[in-house]
Every structure is written in structure tokens, then in C-alpha cells.
Amino acid sequence: MAQEIKRLDIDAYDEIIRVWAESGLPFKLKGRDSLEAVAKEMANPNCAFFGLFLDEKMIGVVIANFDGRRGWINRLAIDPDQRGLGLAAKLIEISEEFLRSAGAVVICALIEEINYPSISCFQNSGYTCEPNIKYFTKRPSPDA
Ligand SMILES: CC(C)(COP(=O)(O)OP(=O)(O)OC[C@H]1O[C@@H](n2cnc3c(N)ncnc32)[C@H](O)[C@@H]1OP(=O)(O)O)[C@@H](O)C(=O)NCCC(=O)NCCS
């Protein structure tokens, strides 16, 4: 099967949402995952969405963004029928290349503590868990 990773533009929005939905990844269509919000994020040169394609079908997605201090890998998802094949590592690798070229030295990901496949995947890609850190947020609404 032909495998390809492409940087995505806003024309891929519906496909990105499809992959996240089929992967069981939560998203906020009224908030930061709305068409407008994603278009704005994609226009930021320090942010890239990558899609992994098998025979031209998108089966994986990731967002890489450099906030000026750290590089972040977000919303990594692989189609449930294609898991356990090490495909997520390819999206992690291209994200790392992008983030390093943007200036990131430290690259991070936030993972729920019960998400064992994701934890394993990042550990296999060389990431170390920082178990003493708690994630705090402040949101204008639950949809944000
Ligand atoms: C996390 C995710 C992207 C990993 O993708 P992947 O390409 O399957 O990753 P890998 O092939 O490296 O497998 C990672 C782990 O998944 C588990 N796994 C293996 N085969 C699997 C399968 N068929 N189905 C589900 N999980 C499987 C294993 O624990 C594996 O770790 P191991 O190789 O050390 O045993 C994918 O499971 C996914 O899309 N999950 C839902 C969305 C999500 O939680 N994203 C991460 C947000 S932080």
C-alpha cells in the first residue's frame, strides 16, 4: 500500500474531523476545532497539521505547534483498523522535524493517564513521562 504524509490545509478539515471521530478522539466543534479556529491555527507558521495517507485515504492526523517556548504534539490519531503498526510514530517523527525547524528544543505531549496505547507509543518514540505534573486549565466555557 502506498503510504504518504502530507501537510494539510483547510480543504482537509472534514477529513481531519472524520479521522478524529473514527479514532474516538474528543473534539470541540464549537470551540478550538471549529472550521474558523482550525483555519486560523493553520495560518500560523509555527503550527502544522499533518495527515498520514494509505492509498490516498487519510488514516492518521497530528497537530504540531511551537508556542515559542516548547513544541507540542497534539491530537494524534490513527484509524482503529491501522493501529499497532507503528504508524503514529511516523506522525510523531514528522512533527518533531517541523518543531525543531521552528525552534523548539523541548517537545511535549499531554496524555491522559489511562491512555496506555498513547503512553506506550510516545515512550517508544523516546519520550519520558513526568508523573509529578498536573494539567491546569482556565476556559471561558466547556466548549472552548
Ligand atoms: C495513540 C495512537 C495514536 C497510537 O497509534 P498506533 O499507530 O497504533 O501506535 P503504535 O503502533 O505505536 O502502538 C502503540 C500502542 O498501542 C497498543 N496497540 C497495539 N496494537 C493495537 C491495536 N490493534 N489496537 C489498539 N491498540 C493497539 C499497544 O499498547 C501499542 O504499544 P506497544 O507497541 O508498546 O505494545 C492510537 O492508539 C489512537 O489513535 N488512539 C486514539 C486517539 C488517542 O488517544 N490519541 C492520543 C492522544 S494523546
Side-chain angles (χ1 to χ4, degrees):
M1 282 206 264
Q3 204 181 98
E4 192 182 7
I5 295 179
K6 289 191 255 188
R7 187 163 177 176
L8 304 173
D9 62 25
I10 198 60
D11 292 344
Y13 178 77
D14 290 343
E15 284 290 278
I16 294 168
I17 299 296
R18 177 187 62 75
V19 172
W20 281 342
E22 290 176 1
S23 298
L25 201 63
F27 48 85
K28 311 242 178 191
L29 287 182
K30 293 183 184 161
R32 64 194 127 120
D33 300 314
S34 68
L35 178 71
E36 296 71 25
V38 169
K40 198 171 165 192
E41 210 174 352
M42 284 176 169
N44 176 348
N46 284 331
C47 179
F49 286 58
F50 293 103
L52 174 65
F53 294 79
L54 275 191
D55 289 341
E56 300 188 13
K57 182 187 178 198
M58 195 193 293
I59 56 99
V61 176
V62 70
I63 307 172
N65 77 289
F66 176 50
D67 67 11
R69 174 165 284 265
R70 292 186 181 85
W72 292 93
I73 296 180
N74 291 295
R75 299 293 175 87
L76 175 64
I78 295 289
D79 182 313
D81 292 338
Q82 304 293 339
R83 291 191 186 157
L85 303 171
L87 294 176
K90 299 185 180 207
L91 287 172
I92 292 174
E93 193 180 331
I94 195 154
S95 299
E96 289 172 349
E97 282 169 22
F98 170 79
L99 292 167
R100 288 203 189 94
S101 71
V105 177
V106 178
I107 299 176
C108 331
L110 296 170
I111 307 175
E112 288 179 352
E113 63 183 348
I114 55 162
N115 193 344
Y116 304 112
S118 186
I119 290 169
S120 182
C121 170
F122 276 89
Q123 283 178 332
N124 292 341
S125 286
Y127 288 71
T128 304
C129 178
E130 306 280 357
N132 302 326
I133 293 176
K134 300 250 184 240
Y135 178 50
F136 285 69
T137 65
K138 191 174 189 180
R139 304 167 194 264
S141 77
D143 287 335

